[in-house]
C-alpha cells in the first residue's frame, strides 16, 4: 500500500474526530519511515494511547498497527537482506579488466544519478548546518559508513575546531556525548541495512540536542522521521557489495565547501595542524 491508497481509505471515513485527523497528519508526514516505526514511539509523538491508534487502524480496514505496517513494507524490506543473498554469482565476466570496467561504469552512474536527484533546498540547508561556526558538529558512521565518517572528520578537523567523531560502540557513546548541548548538529552516515546504533542516536539527537543531517541510500529509511535533512546517494552495484562511491564524493564536496566558507580561522587551524605534524615528524621529508 502506498500513500495514495492510504488516503483512498481515509476518504471513505465519515465523522473524523480531531484525534483521527492528528493520526492521519502524522502518518502522512512520516509515511516513508513507517516500516521502521514502533507503536510506542508513534503514540508518544501523537500523544495518544495505543488503543486509540488501534481503533483508527480498524477504521481503515486493518487489524492493528502491525497489520497496517506490513501493508506498507515492500517485499525486500521484510528482511534485512545480506549481500550474499542478493549476489548474482553468474556474472559471465571473462576477465578482471572486464569486471573493473563494469565497476567504473556502475560508479559513474551512481555519482551522476545522485547529483541529478539531489534536492537543492535540502542540500543548502544541510550545508548551512554543517558550516555554522556557532554549532558543535558530531559525526557518526557504522560499518562501511564508518570510513566515510572518519574521512570527513580527519579533513574537517583542519577546518572546524568543534567537531567530534563518535564511536559506533554503544558503550562509548555516552563518553563522547557528555559535553553535547542543545543547538549542536549531528552528521550521520548510514546505508541499508541501517545501523541500529545510528538510528537510536539520530532519534536521541533530534529529541534532546538539535538538527541532524543524514546521508543514506534509501528513500525508505528509519531516519527521515527524525532528520532535519536527508541527503540521498545511489549505491547500486552488480557485485557482492553495494557501492559507497557516490557517498564518498558527496563527503569530499561537503568538507571542501566547508573550507571555502570558513575564512580566517581556516589559516589558523592549518598552521596549528602543520606545526603538530612537524613536531611529531608525521610525514617523510
Amino acid at each position: 500500500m502506498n500513500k495514495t491508497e492510504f488516503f483512498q481509505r481515509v476518504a471513505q471515513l465519515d465523522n473524523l474526530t480531531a484525534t483521527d485527523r492528528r493520526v492521519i497528519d502524522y502518518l502522512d508526514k512520516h509515511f516513508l519511515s513507517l516500516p521502521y516505526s514502533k507503536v510506542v514511539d508513534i503514540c508518544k509523538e501523537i500523544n495518544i494511547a495505543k488503543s486509540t491508534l488501534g481503533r483508527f487502524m480498524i477504521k481503515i480496514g486493518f487489524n492493528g498497527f502491525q497489520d497496517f505496517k506490513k501493508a506498507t513494507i515492500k517485499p525486500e524490506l521484510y528482511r534485512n537482506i545480506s549481500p550474499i543473498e542478493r549476489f548474482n554469482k553468474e556474472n559471465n565476466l571473462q576477465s578482471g579488466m572486464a569486471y573493473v570496467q563494469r565497476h567504473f561504469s556502475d560508479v559513474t552512474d551512481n555519482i551522476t544519478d545522485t547529483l541529478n536527484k539531489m534536492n537543492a533546498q535540502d542540500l543548502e540547508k544541510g550545508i548551512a548546518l554543517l558550516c555554522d561556526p556557532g554549532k558543535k558538529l558530531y559525526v557518526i558512521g557504522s560499518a562501511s559508513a564508518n570510513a566515510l565518517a572518519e574521512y570527513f572528520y580527519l579533513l574537517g578537523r583542519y577546518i572546524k575546531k568543534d567537531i567530534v567523531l563518535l564511536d559506533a560502540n554503544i558503550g562509548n557513546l555516552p563518553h563522547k556525548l557528555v559535553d553535547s548541548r542543545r543547538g549542536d548538529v549531528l552528521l550521520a552516515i548510514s546505508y541499508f541495512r541501517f545501523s541500529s546504533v545510528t538510528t537510536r542516536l539520530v532519534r536521541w539527537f533530534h529529541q534532546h540536542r538539535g538538527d541532524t543531517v543524514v546521508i543514506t541510500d534509501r528513500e525508505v529509511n528509519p531516519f527521515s522521521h527524525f532528520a532535519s535533512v536527508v541527503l540521498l546517494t545511489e549505491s547500486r552495484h552488480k557485485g557482492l557489495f553495494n557501492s559507497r562511491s557516490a557517498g564518498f564524493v558527496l563527503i569530499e564536496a561537503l568538507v571542501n565547501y566547508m573550507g571555502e566558507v570558513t575564512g580566517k580561522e581556516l589559516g589558523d587551524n592549518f598552521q596549528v595542524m602543520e606545526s603538530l605534524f612537524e613536531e611529531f615528524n608525521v610525514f617523510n621529508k
Side-chain angles (χ1 to χ4, degrees):
M1 182 181 67
N2 57 32
K3 190 184 287 190
T4 300
E5 293 167 326
F6 166 68
F7 276 105
Q8 287 173 349
R9 294 190 181 219
V10 168
Q12 297 174 13
L13 299 179
D14 295 322
N15 302 318
L16 288 173
T17 67
T19 300
D20 288 337
R21 295 186 186 281
R22 282 163 51 207
V23 173
I24 293 167
D25 183 61
Y26 178 92
L27 297 178
D28 177 27
K29 290 180 179 178
H30 305 296
F31 200 85
L32 289 177
S33 63
L34 289 178
Y36 300 96
S37 299
K38 297 180 180 179
V39 171
V40 63
D41 294 328
I42 291 176
C43 292
K44 183 177 180 180
E45 293 195 41
I46 306 177
N47 194 25
I48 59 174
K50 294 181 183 178
S51 57
T52 303
L53 180 61
R55 286 193 295 271
F56 176 81
M57 291 302 162
I58 291 173
K59 284 184 181 181
I60 60 174
F62 295 97
N63 294 327
F65 178 73
Q66 294 303 323
D67 187 31
F68 168 76
K69 186 165 79 167
K70 287 180 181 178
T72 69
I73 300 176
K74 295 179 181 180
E76 65 269 20
L77 293 180
Y78 275 107
R79 296 180 301 112
N80 276 338
I81 299 172
S82 69
I84 195 65
E85 291 180 87
R86 65 173 181 80
F87 181 47
N88 177 17
K89 295 182 176 64
E90 297 181 5
N91 53 41
N92 300 317
L93 293 177
Q94 302 300 315
S95 68
M97 186 62 192
Y99 190 89
V100 169
Q101 287 175 330
R102 191 183 74 180
H103 173 78
F104 271 65
S105 177
D106 288 344
V107 165
T108 302
D109 289 343
N110 281 338
I111 294 172
T112 302
D113 290 346
T114 296
L115 181 60
N116 290 339
K117 296 177 182 178
M118 187 70 66
N119 183 301
Q121 185 175 355
D122 288 342
L123 180 62
E124 294 294 347
K125 182 179 179 180
I127 286 173
L129 289 170
L130 298 178
C131 293
D132 190 331
K135 296 180 181 295
K136 192 172 186 177
L137 177 60
Y138 290 82
V139 185
I140 191 169
S142 297
S144 60
N146 179 67
L148 298 182
E150 186 165 2
Y151 182 78
F152 180 91
Y153 168 77
L154 288 174
L155 298 187
R157 284 294 288 150
Y158 280 95
I159 302 165
K160 190 178 179 72
K161 292 180 179 179
D162 289 331
I163 181 170
V164 179
L165 179 64
L166 296 174
D167 192 335
N169 182 331
I170 194 70
N172 293 339
L173 270 180
H175 297 79
K176 296 289 185 71
L177 292 169
V178 67
D179 293 326
S180 62
R181 296 290 182 268
R182 284 198 175 275
D184 292 342
V185 175
L186 172 70
L187 171 62
I189 309 168
S190 186
Y191 291 84
F192 184 81
R193 300 178 275 174
F194 306 125
S195 161
S196 60
V197 174
T198 304
T199 302
R200 291 165 65 184
L201 177 62
V202 170
R203 181 190 298 117
W204 180 87
F205 216 91
H206 164 75
Q207 294 171 343
H208 301 285
R209 290 297 180 263
D211 290 296
T212 60
V213 178
V214 176
I215 296 175
T216 188
D217 64 336
R218 298 289 180 94
E219 186 178 19
V220 177
N221 61 69
F223 311 110
S224 57
H225 188 158
F226 306 103
S228 307
V229 177
V230 176
L231 301 177
L232 294 174
T233 64
E234 294 290 350
S235 63
R236 299 184 307 272
H237 197 274
K238 300 181 184 68
L240 178 58
F241 302 107
N242 281 337
S243 173
R244 303 292 178 253
S245 54
F248 182 77
V249 171
L250 178 59
I251 286 294
E252 282 195 316
L254 291 175
V255 77
N256 274 287
Y257 187 78
M258 285 174 62
E260 293 283 341
V261 300
T262 298
K264 180 180 180 298
E265 184 182 350
L266 179 63
D268 296 339
N269 287 357
F270 263 82
Q271 288 180 12
V272 174
M273 291 286 283
E274 290 299 326
S275 67
L276 289 170
F277 289 145
E278 183 74 22
E279 178 68 27
F280 293 103
N281 194 26
V282 174
F283 299 114
N284 288 326
K285 296 181 179 179

